[in-house]
Amino acid sequence: MDVFSPLGWRDGVLHLLDQRRLPTEERWIECRDEAAVAEAIRDMTVRGAPAIGCTAAFGVALAALRAAESGAGGPELRRRVGAAADLLAAARPTAVNLFWALAEMRRPVADDPGHAAEELAARAVGIWRDDIARCVAIGRAGAALVPDGATILTHCNAGALATGGYGTALGVVRGAVEAKKRVRVLADETRPFLQGARLTAWELHRDGIEVLLIADGAAAWMMARGEVTCVVVGADRIAMNGDVANKIGTYGVALAAHEHGLPFYVAAPLSTFDPNCAHGGLIPIEERDPDEVRRIAGIAIAPAGVGALNPAFDVTPAKLVSAIITERGVVRPPFASLRNLLTDEGS
């Protein structure tokens, strides 16, 4: 399969597929400075932890390019790069890939503005390409866990749209297909932003992979009927004990899978692991606009004046996770080896 990406970088301009408009309209927007990139992350034009990280890296590169065009070098260029990184870090709090990518972009660069801008642009491209390579490796590692004829349940969208390309959870699906295994996917709709209905179904259908959309509330019943072989989801942050933050509703899916004796797999690159987070209780959970719950596509679905809560993520305890699929292989409980994986990655 060709590796589709929701990002494009051409002539110093970042192009993003506007995921708010899918599946009805495939529209690309242009970002020419870090402010536009930060807004694209905040309003979910781009979403998914790895894709957010890649996008933020290009945001820093854009700040450096604009600084170089004005002749700023040395301390002034570093100040502007740091300010851009701070702006982007505030865009969304839960996805740790954002902070990982920004840390990479904050590493020292040349004093000469032209060379510094080129170096940071190359660094962002490297982060993007590296993410795609990691996703392909995750897909190959995870494919071994998928039996021929499997029905895979997934939640939210952890596919090409959520990454630099190829995907994590859907990378496992693609890896299984490339291994000539017959698979089909049950995609939870994933309220309130409907990433499963709008995005997962769109990209799998685009690739010719069988996908059936189900309501979030149907997942447990599909398991009870024997129509699910395993669950594969992505992650926005993974703590060192194996607790996993992912899109709201993931915890409920994990509980149902545990009750029915089904494997619950998490697919994520090592950039999603937070070495400073001992357990899931320390992961910040983003609270989004309640109107995302009260409305769908701008149409009210609740009485006027009713309150709403909109946590964007939940935390699945490590005890419910059968394995974590990384680019370095499959890690099974107990997850004491996670820190060693990160240490090896950084060495």
Side-chain angles (χ1 to χ4, degrees):
M1 297 177 192
D2 293 332
V3 177
F4 171 80
S5 176
L7 291 76
W9 176 254
R10 293 186 296 276
D11 300 324
V13 178
L14 178 63
H15 300 259
L16 296 174
L17 178 61
D18 189 344
Q19 299 188 32
R20 301 167 303 175
R21 295 178 178 269
L22 291 173
T24 56
E25 182 184 358
E26 191 171 330
R27 178 185 176 188
W28 292 78
I29 67 166
E30 295 182 356
C31 296
R32 297 178 179 272
D33 58 37
E34 66 271 24
V37 173
E39 181 59 25
I41 293 172
R42 274 193 298 270
D43 69 13
M44 294 181 71
T45 296
V46 61
R47 29 67 53 203
I52 288 172
C54 294
T55 301
F58 282 113
V60 175
L62 285 169
L65 287 169
R66 301 293 84 83
E69 288 171 358
S70 68
E76 176 60 16
L77 184 141
R78 287 191 287 274
R79 186 195 67 77
R80 293 194 195 182
V81 165
D86 290 343
L87 174 69
L88 292 156
R92 295 195 72 186
T94 302
V96 75
N97 306 64
L98 170 63
F99 306 100
W100 174 86
L102 291 176
E104 290 294 300
M105 297 300 289
R106 287 182 191 266
R107 289 191 288 110
V109 293
D111 281 343
D112 176 78
H115 288 162
E118 290 176 4
E119 184 178 342
L120 285 169
R123 198 176 292 177
V125 170
I127 288 172
W128 178 29
R129 290 177 176 169
D130 177 68
D131 187 69
I132 295 172
R134 288 172 187 256
C135 287
V136 171
I138 287 168
R140 289 173 179 163
L145 302 176
V146 178
D148 187 32
T151 296
I152 302 169
L153 176 72
T154 192
H155 188 74
C156 194
N157 171 262
L161 291 169
T163 63
Y166 199 81
T168 53
L170 296 192
V172 172
V173 173
R174 292 186 169 98
V177 170
E178 290 174 4
K180 309 302 182 185
K181 294 181 178 181
R182 295 167 296 126
V183 297
R184 71 170 185 169
V185 175
L186 295 184
D188 280 354
E189 61 181 346
T190 319
R191 281 279 292 141
F193 213 68
L194 297 172
Q195 293 98 324
R198 296 187 304 104
L199 307 179
T200 293
W202 179 83
E203 66 170 274
L204 290 177
H205 184 68
R206 178 182 180 276
D207 278 356
I209 297 172
E210 183 180 0
V211 57
L212 296 171
L213 182 64
I214 62 172
D216 290 350
W221 182 236
M222 300 302 290
M223 295 179 191
R225 284 170 36 168
E227 297 193 36
V228 177
T229 307
C230 62
V231 179
V232 185
V233 299
D236 286 81
R237 188 180 301 221
I238 300 176
M240 286 297 93
N241 70 338
D243 291 347
V244 175
N246 194 48
K247 184 53 58 184
I248 191 72
T250 302
Y251 182 24
V253 172
L255 287 168
H258 182 75
E259 173 65 21
H260 293 91
L262 296 172
F264 180 89
Y265 300 127
V266 175
L270 294 180
S271 57
T272 304
F273 293 78
D274 187 349
N276 300 313
C277 184
H279 58 81
L282 300 175
I283 298 175
I285 300 299
E286 178 184 7
E287 296 280 344
R288 292 186 62 82
D289 186 345
D291 267 349
E292 291 180 356
V293 175
R294 292 186 289 242
R295 295 175 175 272
I296 293 181
I299 299 172
I301 60 170
V306 72
L309 297 174
N310 189 16
F313 303 92
D314 57 27
V315 176
T316 298
K319 66 182 180 181
L320 300 179
V321 178
S322 304
I324 301 174
I325 307 164
T326 79
E327 67 271 36
R328 299 284 296 276
V330 177
V331 185
R332 296 185 181 274
F335 294 115
S337 62
L338 290 181
R339 192 169 294 280
N340 292 337
L341 264 184
L342 295 186
T343 300
D344 292 343
E345 171 80 356
S347 61

